[in-house]
Amino acid sequence: MKTWTGILLMIILAVATISTTSSARTMNESQKQLNIDDQSSQTAAVAASNIETMNETSFTTKEAASVKEGYISVAPENESIRLYPMKVEGSGYIYNGMVLEVNGKTREFSKWQGEGGSYKPEVHELDLNGDGKKEIVVLFTAGHGTGIYLGEAHIIDPETLEEMKMQSLDEIVKQHVNSKVSVAPGQVTIDITVDGVHAEPSLIEEDTSGGVYNEELKFGSVVYYSVEDGKLVVSASGAYGTGVYDGDLTFAYTYQDGEWKAADLKYSMEVYEEEFYESFD
């Protein structure tokens, strides 16, 4: 009796041991398989993430390169000075903000809004006032249309990349120019004095019955900035009425008392043909 009981207990213990070992082995196998699967999944995820990152980086790099290469302006006097847009809109014709790069240093000018295309901005490096120190000059077109051309200019200190103070066109006209527009049936008479020098009056014969005329010449609707003979030169047309012009006020900027101011002001009369207005379209 005791023998059979002992044998039965041994059989029960053996079965329990086999079952426990089998379960443990099954758990180990499952855990090993799980670890392998997890590792593979992580590897695949990392690989996919790297591919996506690489694609994104490549796209961004190519996009930035194409913008810089397609719209970049280089100073003819120094290839290390470049100008390009912060953002391009309107199929590449509008520069929304600009970046100035000088010998590896950059500065963003978010308020500069200009046109591209055939009106691509210019950048120059030159000594404007002959003091041995060069300045950076940025020129661009702020807008244009029929009878309107809005040029814009900025002078930058190349060391600090700070914008230098420039006397505005309105201030220059107020300080240097006096004019009067007199309208009679069929005739407009324009008297103008620049720095005390009285120019020959303009006598313009035209139908004045339906026209809108100014009391004095207005400057600002047609303004050109250009670099000529190492100087920043301005030409601003004087309007005696809506969309009609008499002549041009020209001057160059010179540095005086910590500010760029107008010098060598002159006024010359021009006869504008119809093509003049159409040229701004």
Side-chain angles (χ1 to χ4, degrees), residues 75-136:
E77 304 85 1
N78 185 349
E79 294 183 356
S80 297
I81 298 177
R82 309 190 299 171
L83 181 73
Y84 47 89
M86 293 174 59
K87 186 177 181 181
V88 179
E89 299 175 344
S91 300
Y93 290 101
I94 303 298
Y95 287 15
N96 192 352
M98 300 184 199
V99 179
L100 179 63
E101 181 180 323
V102 180
N103 299 321
K105 296 188 299 182
T106 62
R107 178 163 184 175
E108 295 181 348
F109 295 87
S110 59
K111 293 183 179 180
W112 290 0
Q113 310 290 324
E115 298 186 16
S118 58
Y119 296 92
K120 185 177 180 179
E122 297 180 26
V123 59
H124 296 270
E125 182 192 48
L126 61 160
D127 184 358
L128 287 176
N129 55 2
D131 64 351
K133 179 183 177 182
K134 294 182 178 181
E135 291 79 32
I136 297 172

Side-chain angles (χ1 to χ4, degrees), residues 113-191:
Q113 310 290 324
E115 298 186 16
S118 58
Y119 296 92
K120 185 177 180 179
E122 297 180 26
V123 59
H124 296 270
E125 182 192 48
L126 61 160
D127 184 358
L128 287 176
N129 55 2
D131 64 351
K133 179 183 177 182
K134 294 182 178 181
E135 291 79 32
I136 297 172
V137 179
V138 174
L139 310 175
F140 57 85
T141 303
H144 77 282
T146 302
I148 296 174
Y149 184 89
L150 305 178
E152 194 167 318
H154 300 271
I155 301 175
I156 308 298
D157 186 314
E159 296 179 358
T160 63
L161 299 188
E162 293 286 341
E163 194 166 351
M164 304 180 76
K165 187 176 181 181
M166 295 175 63
Q167 191 177 24
S168 69
L169 179 60
D170 288 341
E171 294 173 335
I172 292 168
V173 171
K174 185 177 180 180
Q175 180 179 346
H176 297 274
V177 180
N178 288 301
S179 63
K180 181 180 180 181
V181 177
S182 303
V183 181
Q187 182 175 287
V188 178
T189 303
I190 300 170
D191 292 285

Side-chain angles (χ1 to χ4, degrees), residues 194-212:
V194 178
D195 286 337
V197 179
H198 190 265
E200 183 179 351
S202 296
L203 300 176
I204 303 171
E205 295 183 357
E206 63 182 40
D207 182 8
T208 59
S209 59
V212 178

Side-chain angles (χ1 to χ4, degrees), residues 215-233:
E215 295 182 357
E216 59 184 10
L217 292 175
K218 300 293 184 181
F219 297 87
S221 295
V222 177
V223 186
Y224 287 94
Y225 292 86
S226 60
V227 171
E228 300 177 14
D229 299 324
K231 296 181 179 181
L232 175 57
V233 178

